[in-house]
Amino acid sequence: MLNSVRFARNFGEYRVASLSKPSSHFRNLDFRRNCASRLTMEPKAEATQPHFRSGEMGFGLDEIHSLISGPPETGRNSFTALLELPPPQAVQLLVKEDFPAKHLPPPIFPSNIGLIDRASKRSFFASADNPPASNTILLASSSMKVEIVKQEPTDSQPHPNSASPAVSDQSPKSGKRKEREKKVKESNKKSKKVVANEASEDGGKKLPYVHVRARRGQATDSHSLAERARREKINARMKLLQELVPGCNKISGTAMVLDEIINHVQALQRQVEFLSMRLAAVNPRIDFNLDALLAAESGSSIDNDYMGMFTPTIWPEGQINGNRQLEYQQLWQGDELRQPGWSREEDTPNFITPETSHLSYDSSANSAPLHSSQLKMEL
Amino acid sequence: MKERMPNSSALMKQEFLKKWIKGLQIYSSFKKEMTIFERKKAIKLSADVAIASTRNASTHWSRALMSDVSTDDANHAAKIVVAQISGRKVEKYSSSKGLMMTCSNKILRRSRVASRCRRTRGVGTSVKARSIARKVVKNRTRVLKSLVPGGQEMDGVCLIKETLDYIASLRVQVDVMRHLAAAAERLDPPQRSIL
């Protein structure tokens, strides 16, 4: 179900108005703010599965991404790129008109009247005719201090897309918009436009307006539209989750994927417990002597960047471990050539043998790399 | 000297490690002799607070985690740890949203029940598989909510987003902890007669 086959529907056109750059914080639930782009998706040979790639997501998914795979693919699939926008961004998609219809049972997810109401407060309105050729999405996730500028290649011809209308669940959506949604024209045509109000009721925020068309044979009232939009949002995020959790890619169906996710979270939590027990068992004191740890790590591969900070952090606790430092220093110098004795079960990218640890250990500390000295200052 | 790639994952790990060590130092200054279980709790708590604070209270789960730790009255050190690590006032984390959410949740629940009655009456006995699947998904969502800190007050969309973030942070946490544990064990083989 999750395979976004539902996206392979005979969507009408989804057009998105240009929106201003959002300033909202991730904290807002109602993230989807403005996305200044019109996105298109490539036509899919197999109508069943649009290809979603995890790009970068607003709330720090560049870490996630580095965990999963290589550099993100942007521009190839605007949908996912949009989806991976930080929460403040709106998610918008375009759907090709002549996309083969393949109606699927809607994803099953607990739906709330309250949510529907909130979703329905999103505004829908007919946008301008032709989307600009390319747009830039500024993802300013202030919380994550990440700014990603994306260039969304837009085709003039709409491609088959699955669309998820921009959502702004910000509470001050007023009833005005709801009224507009109710003004839908009932028609027997394949598509139906929802005209929403252009003006934004609340002064500062420009709300995302999405031109939504109902699919053929679908209910056209505003509630189900909103519900469908919400479902699509959820499915899009589920796709991202699928990519994050190992082994979920092949599973189809919300229930199975959720199961895997639950297992994964439980496994991670159990690992944390176990590791903290392990650490507690290692030595009678819990203020770890990082100097010693650095020595132990010198022969093993560890991420270079965060190895460098081991050394500086010992200085604050130097008073406590003065004696041990000396003996570890000697031990460490002997350990320079030691091969990594332990292998990690997980495959982690970009691990480099920290030869720089030698340098950073220099007691004069003048050869310490820049950022480790910065850390030292911070501590 | 090897070139250091600026890597956001590594940055996060650094931040986490820093904060974690800070928390551990607080604990060790707080109490000199600790049993292994106390140590384990201290380690775990510092780690949790550290990983939550790397999010700077921008996500629900981090806020919920911090507020859980700080409202636990039995643990004074924990509160100090939270205050130190996060650098913010403890009260900020007690979710002001909590009350709002519970109120709105009640309304939502009532409306959900109403809609369900309405819907089942309309649908009849048509598609049983669908309703079963829906129930399964609902159950699993409930489980997921119980796993993610602060999950009870999240709706479907938010839950998934938070889960994403939470999983990523957990991975960072596990990674760093594993390295530290392995390094510490290499250096200092654990004594058998711990207990």
Side-chain angles (χ1 to χ4, degrees):
Chain A
M1 223 189 312
L2 261 202
N3 283 350
S4 345
V5 185
R6 76 189 90 268
F7 290 123
R9 289 183 281 207
N10 189 8
F11 272 118
E13 275 181 351
Y14 280 66
R15 292 210 202 102
V16 171
S18 315
L19 305 162
S20 56
K21 175 180 145 182
S23 57
S24 62
H25 203 257
F26 180 94
R27 199 178 305 219
N28 294 332
L29 267 195
D30 348 326
F31 299 51
R32 315 324 170 75
R33 281 268 170 205
N34 314 320
C35 221
S37 82
R38 171 175 172 206
L39 306 174
T40 58
M41 262 168 61
E42 287 177 329
K44 291 299 160 197
E46 350 80 78
T48 52
Q49 184 142 12
H51 174 55
F52 291 109
R53 297 270 318 168
S54 65
E56 293 165 285
M57 204 159 166
F59 50 99
L61 269 195
D62 32 0
E63 290 100 51
I64 297 176
H65 196 77
S66 58
L67 286 172
I68 310 169
S69 57
E73 268 181 38
T74 55
R76 174 145 115 187
N77 191 327
S78 332
F79 177 59
T80 28
L82 250 193
L83 279 183
E84 286 131 19
L85 287 184
Q89 300 301 325
V91 177
Q92 306 153 8
L93 291 176
L94 277 178
V95 173
K96 187 171 185 180
E97 241 172 340
D98 51 343
F99 199 75
K102 193 159 178 193
H103 182 48
L104 291 162
I108 297 170
F109 215 86
S111 56
N112 277 328
I113 292 288
L115 290 173
I116 293 172
D117 279 346
R118 256 191 291 144
S120 67
K121 284 177 188 156
R122 273 176 272 132
S123 46
F124 300 91
F125 90 126
S127 70
D129 292 346
N130 282 322
S134 75
N135 288 313
T136 308
I137 305 170
L138 268 181
L139 312 179
S141 166
S142 53
S143 56
M144 292 302 116
K145 294 165 191 136
V146 166
E147 208 162 303
I148 307 164
V149 174
K150 283 195 179 181
Q151 205 79 17
E152 299 296 351
T154 57
D155 307 344
S156 48
Q157 298 314 312
H159 286 295
N161 276 334
S162 45
S164 136
V167 177
S168 176
D169 305 347
Q170 194 55 269
S171 37
K173 300 326 165 262
S174 66
K176 240 197 231 175
R177 215 165 305 123
K178 232 178 166 174
E179 281 174 19
R180 303 288 166 169
E181 289 162 11
K182 292 188 183 143
K183 269 201 243 167
V184 295
K185 310 164 200 158
E186 302 283 4
S187 70
N188 291 334
K189 290 195 304 184
K190 204 159 78 165
S191 65
K192 161 200 97 145
K193 280 187 193 172
V194 181
V195 179
N197 120 44
E198 288 201 9
S200 60
E201 290 82 2
D202 26 17
K205 307 173 198 165
K206 197 133 190 259
L207 303 159
Y209 293 109
V210 179
H211 173 203
V212 178
R213 281 196 188 165
R215 295 188 309 281
R216 185 194 178 102
Q218 284 293 300
T220 55
D221 60 320
S222 64
H223 280 297
S224 54
L225 266 180
E227 192 174 338
R228 197 183 319 135
R230 194 184 135 263
R231 260 185 263 131
E232 280 159 23
K233 243 199 308 179
I234 287 175
N235 288 334
R237 306 232 165 233
M238 288 288 261
K239 289 291 291 186
L240 287 173
L241 260 180
Q242 268 188 300
E243 291 179 18
L244 186 65
V245 174
C248 248
N249 282 324
K250 308 164 188 110
I251 303 181
S252 62
T254 317
M256 298 295 141
V257 170
L258 274 180
D259 202 36
E260 285 297 315
I261 292 168
I262 287 172
N263 285 337
H264 193 60
V265 170
Q266 278 174 338
L268 285 172
Q269 286 175 339
R270 259 182 273 133
Q271 270 185 310
V272 168
E273 293 267 347
F274 175 65
L275 281 169
S276 56
M277 194 63 182
R278 210 170 129 190
L279 278 166
V282 153
N283 55 2
R285 281 179 7 258
I286 66 172
D287 47 345
F288 294 101
N289 183 4
L290 289 178
D291 187 10
L293 295 176
L294 182 68
E297 289 287 4
S298 66
S300 36
S301 55
I302 205 175
D303 192 279
N304 207 10
D305 288 335
Y306 83 114
M307 267 294 290
M309 67 160 294
F310 273 136
T311 325
T313 57
I314 65 168
W315 300 115
E317 48 174 323
Q319 305 85 352
I320 313 171
N321 305 316
N323 292 338
R324 284 181 86 181
Q325 276 184 18
L326 287 174
E327 67 187 48
Y328 289 140
Q329 194 167 0
Q330 289 149 12
L331 177 73
W332 174 80
Q333 275 157 6
D335 277 349
E336 273 177 13
L337 304 172
R338 188 151 47 116
Q339 294 302 311
W342 56 280
S343 58
R344 280 168 287 105
E345 42 275 32
E346 266 178 9
D347 205 31
T348 40
N350 69 18
F351 276 172
I352 317 165
T353 309
E355 283 149 12
T356 54
S357 60
H358 304 312
L359 301 172
S360 55
Y361 194 77
D362 192 348
S363 50
S364 62
N366 53 3
S367 58
L370 181 63
H371 78 272
S372 60
S373 55
Q374 277 172 356
L375 288 165
K376 191 169 148 187
M377 295 310 145
E378 285 172 45
L379 281 175
Chain B
M1 171 131 100
K2 285 219 159 72
E3 202 62 44
R4 281 180 196 225
M5 297 299 197
N7 187 353
S8 55
S9 149
L11 283 174
M12 207 162 124
K13 288 181 184 171
Q14 274 181 27
E15 210 186 323
F16 165 64
L17 187 62
K18 248 194 326 186
K19 295 184 170 174
W20 187 26
I21 299 294
K22 221 200 276 184
L24 289 179
Q25 285 172 358
I26 294 173
Y27 260 107
S28 66
S29 65
F30 194 76
K31 206 171 179 190
K32 281 307 166 192
E33 295 296 329
M34 289 197 246
T35 68
I36 185 173
F37 297 109
E38 287 177 343
R39 282 205 299 273
K40 177 227 169 195
K41 262 175 65 176
I43 289 170
K44 178 160 192 293
L45 196 130
S46 311
D48 286 342
V49 170
I51 199 70
S53 78
T54 59
R55 282 282 172 249
N56 282 326
S58 56
T59 54
H60 279 268
W61 67 265
S62 59
R63 284 197 295 269
L65 197 58
M66 296 280 213
S67 69
D68 280 344
V69 168
S70 23
T71 52
D72 178 18
D73 288 323
N75 206 342
H76 292 286
K79 291 192 199 155
I80 302 174
V81 165
V82 170
Q84 289 287 323
I85 289 184
S86 65
R88 296 187 200 206
K89 284 208 187 135
V90 168
E91 296 82 46
K92 229 183 186 183
Y93 288 111
S94 50
S95 47
S96 53
K97 272 193 125 183
L99 191 61
M100 263 166 45
M101 290 300 292
T102 43
C103 292
S104 60
N105 267 358
K106 288 200 193 121
I107 302 173
L108 288 178
R109 247 177 276 140
R110 246 180 272 138
S111 56
R112 214 181 301 161
V113 168
S115 76
R116 201 184 307 142
C117 298
R118 221 183 303 138
R119 212 174 289 156
T120 49
R121 241 179 281 134
V123 166
T125 57
S126 53
V127 188
K128 273 205 176 140
R130 200 182 290 193
S131 58
I132 291 176
R134 215 176 289 150
K135 273 197 201 120
V136 166
V137 167
K138 243 182 221 161
N139 279 333
R140 298 209 172 142
T141 330
R142 208 183 318 139
V143 174
L144 189 59
K145 282 186 180 175
S146 69
L147 283 178
V148 175
Q152 298 300 332
E153 300 163 346
M154 293 189 223
D155 57 333
V157 183
C158 183
L159 182 67
I160 296 187
K161 256 183 282 210
E162 296 285 322
T163 310
L164 266 169
D165 199 54
Y166 186 54
I167 288 179
S169 309
L170 273 179
R171 279 208 190 153
V172 165
Q173 193 181 5
V174 165
D175 212 17
V176 174
M177 286 177 89
R178 189 184 292 142
H179 280 119
L180 201 67
E185 277 172 3
R186 268 152 85 78
L187 198 63
D188 219 354
Q191 304 86 9
R192 286 303 145 194
S193 57
I194 312 167
L195 304 166

